[in-house]
Amino acid sequence: MHEEILEYAIRYAHQGLQVFPVGPDKVPMVARGFKAGSSNPAEVSAMFYGRNVPMIGFVHNKFMILDFDGELGWQTYHEYGYRFPTPLASVRTRSGGLHLYYPNPEGKLKRRIKYLPNMDVLAGNGGYAIAPPSVGYEFITGSMEDTLRRLDG
């Protein structure tokens, strides 16, 4: 698993994401936390190399992510989901919840916790999310590569 995490972290860095290693408690494994995130593949390799890293964190300044928490989050999604546009990608989370990725032009949208019941808005500068193939995270639709291409295209 470690080799796959390292491979994806470097791949994401090549695509311009600022990435960093995250422990099983979803806390960054580096000094300075998410602020240590880098899109330099050599720096990313050094951060991840030789460590048992279960998760890839990324600074989400290019994205707005709707974060539906666990089973109750799915209930919120089903109740309000028809109001959301089609996301660039969707990710099943470790808690069984859902992340929906949307563009965040120029980082204008800001973070809002408990925007709806069991749903947070992860947006703006100053935060991070966990990327697949981190332990317990997988793309349902889309991929990071396609999402970034659509954002930059």
Side-chain angles (χ1 to χ4, degrees):
M1 182 63 162
H2 172 72
E3 292 80 17
E4 181 183 33
I5 294 293
L6 175 60
E7 175 188 326
Y8 272 85
I10 291 170
R11 182 184 305 176
Y12 292 162
H14 273 291
Q15 295 166 352
L17 278 184
Q18 295 175 331
V19 298
F20 53 92
V22 175
D25 54 1
K26 298 203 279 189
V27 173
M29 298 172 70
V30 289
R32 297 184 34 236
F34 72 89
K35 292 178 182 178
S38 177
S39 57
N40 178 312
E43 289 177 10
V44 169
S45 182
M47 278 191 273
F48 281 76
Y49 186 76
R51 301 173 106 169
N52 184 17
V53 178
M55 297 184 182
I56 303 167
F58 71 96
V59 178
H60 56 55
N61 54 2
K62 293 184 176 193
F63 302 101
M64 173 186 74
I65 300 172
L66 299 184
D67 177 10
F68 295 90
D69 297 324
E71 287 301 315
L72 295 174
W74 278 98
Q75 290 175 13
T76 299
Y77 174 74
H78 290 296
E79 185 173 341
Y80 295 96
Y82 67 91
R83 298 179 188 175
F84 303 124
T86 302
L88 298 172
S90 59
V91 172
R92 183 174 322 279
T93 67
R94 180 173 71 176
S95 71
L98 176 69
H99 283 177
L100 301 179
Y101 289 39
Y102 294 96
N104 187 10
E106 301 169 19
K108 290 181 180 178
L109 301 169
K110 302 299 177 206
R111 180 182 172 122
R112 300 222 19 218
I113 303 302
K114 302 302 176 203
Y115 182 72
L116 290 172
N118 304 296
M119 189 200 95
D120 303 326
V121 177
L122 308 178
N125 296 326
Y128 67 94
I130 307 298
S134 297
V135 173
Y137 289 75
E138 65 178 326
F139 280 101
I140 300 169
T141 62
S143 68
M144 191 65 79
E145 292 84 359
D146 291 341
T147 300
L148 292 168
R149 191 173 17 261
R150 290 170 64 188
L151 285 174
D152 296 336

